[in-house]
Amino acid sequence: MAKKALITGITGQDGSYLAELLLEKGYEVYGIMRRNSTFTTGRIEHIFDKVTLHYGDLADSSSLHHVVSAVQPDEVYNLAAQSHVKVSFDVPEYTADVTGTGTLRLMEAIRTCAPNAKFYQASSSEMFGKVLEVPQTEKTPFYPRSPYGAAKVYSYWITKNYRESYDMFACNGILFNHESPRRGETFVTRKITRAVAAIKAGKQDKLLLGNLDAKRDWGFAGDYVEAMWLMLQVDKPDDYVIATNETHSVKEFCQIAFEHVGLDWEKYVEVSEKYFRPAEVDLLIGNPAHAKKQLNWEPKVSFEELVKMMVDADVKLLA
């Protein structure tokens, strides 16, 4: 019997890579997507006929109970969220409801309808926020600096709580920034690579960015979804930091991206107050030693390879 996996957020960057990986491993893949007036399935277009989609929403517990009950999954991956940090300041209550309480609703559906399913919660490096130690590990205290970060902290603890209270197989993957050509267009990395392609093609003059000195630990989403899967294959559930243990600034990202197409970034990039956050997270760098030891996981794609891959994809897309 093929294993069944249920993915919330299947139409997102991580959901699409995870669905591909699980299909390769012979899973039956089911996804939950929100009803939208426009099609949002672009990232899974190439595997559309291989996955089964259900309408549902993390804000609506009845839909979650219905889907979990119907699918009876072996594994559930919760990747859905209001996932934009800057936007979470504009819609804080919605972010808390979907990114925070949504996890509780999903776990409650699993507990009552498919109690033996293994659960993966997409936790985030934004939980560390104003970091209290460098690099960050599974033991580093949280200090979130946005409604998004705070909602993810709630999800992290409720996942741990259900694991300990109900003996559920539930894991938190504390993933640091991970990017790809499928990254949403409002995220800074994709904003840069799209602008590079447009400027190179003569269709754009300037790129406006916020804090160029913000430092992040950036990896490739395709590598990171493998870690999610590995977490649910071990004997005992645990929480893991998934990162590269390297940090790079937004400025460095710009430099490599523009240089890759033979341009000088300083001629095109301008800083705009508009893109600064009310509370900034200056430095994120994760130590994935625990994941390496327990899961035998490490990132394969380097920072420079990632930037160039994204630029190439956006150049091709524009052409």
Side-chain angles (χ1 to χ4, degrees), residues 45-98:
E45 209 58 62
H46 60 299
I47 51 170
F48 198 73
D49 56 340
K50 298 188 178 90
V51 300
T52 307
L53 298 177
H54 293 267
Y55 284 118
D57 198 308
L58 287 181
D60 175 48
S61 51
S62 64
S63 67
L64 299 177
H65 279 260
H66 175 74
V67 175
V68 172
S69 179
V71 173
Q72 287 299 310
D74 299 291
E75 297 172 5
V76 179
Y77 296 86
N78 184 30
L79 311 184
Q82 189 302 97
S83 63
H84 200 285
V85 177
K86 174 94 168 60
V87 171
S88 77
F89 286 98
D90 301 327
V91 288
E93 194 180 324
Y94 174 75
T95 302
D97 187 39
V98 173

Side-chain angles (χ1 to χ4, degrees), residues 3-309:
K3 270 191 188 173
K4 292 183 192 171
L6 176 64
I7 304 170
T8 72
I10 192 169
T11 57
Q13 166 187 260
D14 293 8
S16 66
Y17 280 110
L18 180 62
E20 279 175 2
L21 178 80
L22 295 174
L23 286 169
E24 275 167 32
K25 294 187 181 296
Y27 280 67
E28 280 179 31
V29 177
Y30 298 82
I32 295 182
M33 63 179 283
R34 280 177 310 171
R35 162 76 181 88
N36 215 314
S37 58
T38 53
F39 283 112
T40 53
T41 51
R43 294 186 184 95
I44 53 168
E45 209 58 62
H46 60 299
I47 51 170
F48 198 73
D49 56 340
K50 298 188 178 90
V51 300
T52 307
L53 298 177
H54 293 267
Y55 284 118
D57 198 308
L58 287 181
D60 175 48
S61 51
S62 64
S63 67
L64 299 177
H65 279 260
H66 175 74
V67 175
V68 172
S69 179
V71 173
Q72 287 299 310
D74 299 291
E75 297 172 5
V76 179
Y77 296 86
N78 184 30
L79 311 184
Q82 189 302 97
S83 63
H84 200 285
V85 177
K86 174 94 168 60
V87 171
S88 77
F89 286 98
D90 301 327
V91 288
E93 194 180 324
Y94 174 75
T95 302
D97 187 39
V98 173
T99 308
T101 317
T103 305
L104 171 66
R105 293 187 189 104
L106 182 58
M107 295 201 83
E108 213 23 44
I110 295 165
R111 185 179 75 81
T112 53
C113 306
N116 295 324
K118 294 179 172 184
F119 178 73
Y120 169 83
Q121 167 58 19
S123 287
S124 165
S125 57
E126 289 287 335
M127 300 189 305
F128 296 123
K130 190 174 177 178
V131 299
L132 300 177
E133 65 176 355
V134 178
Q136 292 92 55
T137 71
E138 292 78 10
K139 304 270 189 295
T140 306
F142 299 136
Y143 193 144
R145 299 269 281 170
S146 64
Y148 170 77
K152 283 290 189 185
V153 170
Y154 175 82
S155 284
Y156 173 90
W157 283 112
I158 205 70
T159 299
K160 229 172 157 67
N161 211 272
Y162 269 55
R163 178 166 81 211
E164 292 166 7
S165 305
Y166 302 116
D167 203 24
M168 284 171 75
F169 192 110
C171 298
N172 280 293
I174 306 173
L175 271 56
F176 279 64
N177 293 59
H178 45 290
E179 318 296 317
S180 75
R182 298 180 198 170
R183 185 57 142 151
E185 293 164 4
T186 56
F187 291 85
V188 69
T189 50
R190 187 72 199 289
K191 194 177 156 182
I192 294 167
T193 60
R194 286 185 77 222
V196 166
I199 289 167
K200 182 67 180 169
K203 295 183 177 176
Q204 188 174 327
D205 305 322
K206 290 277 177 233
L207 167 60
L208 296 178
L209 293 173
N211 181 8
L212 296 182
D213 298 317
K215 292 192 164 118
R216 294 290 181 272
D217 182 326
W218 275 302
F220 171 52
D223 289 344
Y224 285 37
V225 297
E226 190 185 4
M228 299 174 185
W229 175 75
L230 287 167
M231 283 177 217
L232 301 193
Q233 310 315 310
V234 289
D235 295 334
K236 208 164 106 253
D238 204 351
D239 307 317
Y240 301 89
V241 162
I242 303 299
T244 68
N245 205 19
E246 277 180 28
T247 191
H248 300 275
S249 66
V250 174
K251 192 184 284 180
E252 274 178 85
F253 198 104
C254 285
Q255 217 167 341
I256 294 172
F258 277 91
E259 262 171 27
H260 187 52
V261 296
L263 297 174
D264 175 3
W265 74 276
E266 290 183 85
K267 287 182 183 161
Y268 304 100
V269 175
E270 287 179 7
V271 173
S272 166
E273 294 288 310
K274 191 173 108 177
Y275 296 108
F276 280 83
R277 298 174 184 173
E280 184 55 86
V281 173
D282 296 316
L283 170 67
L284 290 174
I285 176 167
N287 180 356
H290 181 53
K292 188 176 179 182
K293 188 176 171 208
Q294 299 298 325
L295 308 174
N296 199 19
W297 178 87
E298 48 191 340
K300 300 181 185 79
V301 177
S302 73
F303 175 67
E304 199 160 316
E305 287 168 339
L306 174 66
V307 179
K308 290 176 177 174
M309 173 205 297

